[in-house]
Amino acid sequence: MLRTYWHHADHLALESPIPGPGTVSAPIWHDLLNPTPDEDRSVERQLGIAIPTREEMEDIELSARLYQESGAEFMTMTALTGLDGDEPVKTPITFILKGSTLVTVRYAEPKPFDVFLSRAQRTNGSGVPCVNGEMLMTGLIEALIDRLADSLERLGNEIDAVSREVFRSKVSNVTKKTQDLRSLIEQIGRKADFLTAIRESLISISRLVAYHAALESPESRPSKEIRQRIKLLQRDATSLGDHANFLSGKINFLLDATLGLINLEQNQIIKIFSVAAVVFLPPTLVASIYGMNFDFMPELKWYLGYPFAILLMVVSAVMPYLYFKRRGWL
């Protein structure tokens, strides 16, 4: 689907406006959403460029994502959809700047695009600056960064909740506690995958913005406002990347702590079995001795031999138990 926008007064217009004050005759944004070959060719004829295919957009080589061709800048980033759930989907988005016109090529509908469009099309003065394609691109990237920031904030709160469950669990049943810890490991794994996707998106945004800023030339020097917005985008992407690294370290710590707690629970079970084996070892020895049935064993003919053996086995079992209890091993 191809949607073409014009700048009119202080907002974007989807249909070509009637020429007048504040109206730009040429379109400033071609938004290609799941484009057909005919739609690609239409934009290519208008701007004299070659629209990259989806396979080309998914290449991870830097030279395939950030380059110049036919007097246009081609910049591809990794965006995320489905950030409201636990399984975001990565999708490439290509920004093409030629003169004052922006072309976006995408095969998904990230929520920031819809939010930005609704703001940019307002006519009551509360919209966003959209004088040219470069300003539109910075606005879209800003919306994408804001969305990632909200997701990072939510993810941080969820990680804090997992941390409380790990270190403040009041479950006394060993089996249930171990099952809960294993469930927490699954949650930590999902959070780690989520965070990895966010970090990948932030890295691609940082590279895109840095590449665009490095291409400034005296003859095509952007306005002061654009330069400030680019610097702000770089700062935001860097700070969010640092926060994502912090959360990544916290997730690794929680994973190690959870595995450690599981090992402690398992060691406690092994310890109980070991103590039980030691406690019952002396009674077993006594029973083995009096079960040998030799002819010359005085206690075999003794009237109190049986209760004596039982008492001896009880005492030999209680004494190790009391010793372990006193040493704090139980």
Side-chain angles (χ1 to χ4, degrees), residues 93-244:
I93 295 178
T94 297
F95 297 92
I96 305 172
L97 274 178
K98 183 163 187 184
S100 61
T101 302
L102 170 69
V103 179
T104 54
V105 186
R106 55 197 178 103
Y107 293 87
E109 299 187 66
K111 191 173 181 179
F113 267 71
D114 296 333
V115 173
F116 177 81
L117 272 173
S118 64
R119 292 173 56 198
Q121 291 180 299
R122 294 175 186 168
T123 59
N124 56 3
S126 61
V128 294
C130 49
V131 177
N132 53 44
E134 187 177 25
M135 191 168 288
L136 282 172
M137 184 184 74
T138 56
L140 287 168
I141 295 176
E142 183 179 1
L144 290 167
I145 290 178
D146 289 343
R147 179 68 168 162
L148 291 176
D150 294 339
S151 298
L152 272 179
E153 182 179 0
R154 178 174 65 88
L155 184 60
N157 293 333
E158 293 175 353
I159 292 174
D160 290 339
V162 172
S163 178
R164 288 191 293 271
E165 290 185 39
V166 170
F167 296 109
R168 300 178 187 177
S169 176
K170 298 181 180 179
V171 179
S172 57
N173 186 283
V174 176
T175 303
K176 188 175 187 308
K177 187 173 183 179
T178 302
Q179 292 175 350
D180 291 344
L181 290 174
R182 290 175 179 172
S183 175
L184 288 175
I185 288 180
E186 295 178 359
Q187 293 184 42
I188 292 172
R190 288 195 295 269
K191 306 305 177 192
D193 290 341
F194 198 143
L195 186 58
T196 299
I198 291 179
R199 292 175 67 185
E200 182 178 345
S201 181
L202 286 172
I203 290 173
S204 68
I205 290 176
S206 297
R207 289 175 176 173
L208 186 153
V209 175
Y211 175 81
H212 179 65
L215 289 179
E216 294 181 3
S217 58
E219 59 272 11
S220 61
R221 189 172 181 81
S223 65
K224 182 179 179 180
E225 181 182 359
I226 291 292
R227 293 198 303 271
Q228 290 177 343
R229 295 183 71 177
I230 289 175
K231 290 180 180 179
L232 183 61
L233 291 177
Q234 288 177 311
R235 254 194 328 265
D236 289 345
T238 301
S239 62
L240 289 178
D242 293 339
H243 186 62

Side-chain angles (χ1 to χ4, degrees), residues 33-55:
L33 174 60
N34 295 313
T36 63
D38 291 338
E39 291 171 341
D40 280 343
R41 285 191 290 270
S42 173
V43 176
E44 288 173 348
R45 284 194 300 268
Q46 291 183 47
L47 299 179
I49 58 175
I51 302 295
T53 63
R54 184 170 189 174
E55 290 73 19

Side-chain angles (χ1 to χ4, degrees), residues 72-89:
E73 295 178 39
F74 292 77
M75 296 163 286
T76 301
M77 60 160 287
T78 300
L80 300 177
T81 60
L83 287 173
D84 292 329
D86 284 338
E87 298 181 359
V89 179

Side-chain angles (χ1 to χ4, degrees), residues 254-272:
L254 286 176
L255 180 60
D256 293 339
T258 306
L259 292 174
L261 289 174
I262 291 177
N263 289 332
L264 286 175
E265 296 295 334
Q266 292 177 343
N267 290 339
Q268 184 68 21
I269 295 174
I270 299 299
K271 176 178 159 183
I272 292 173

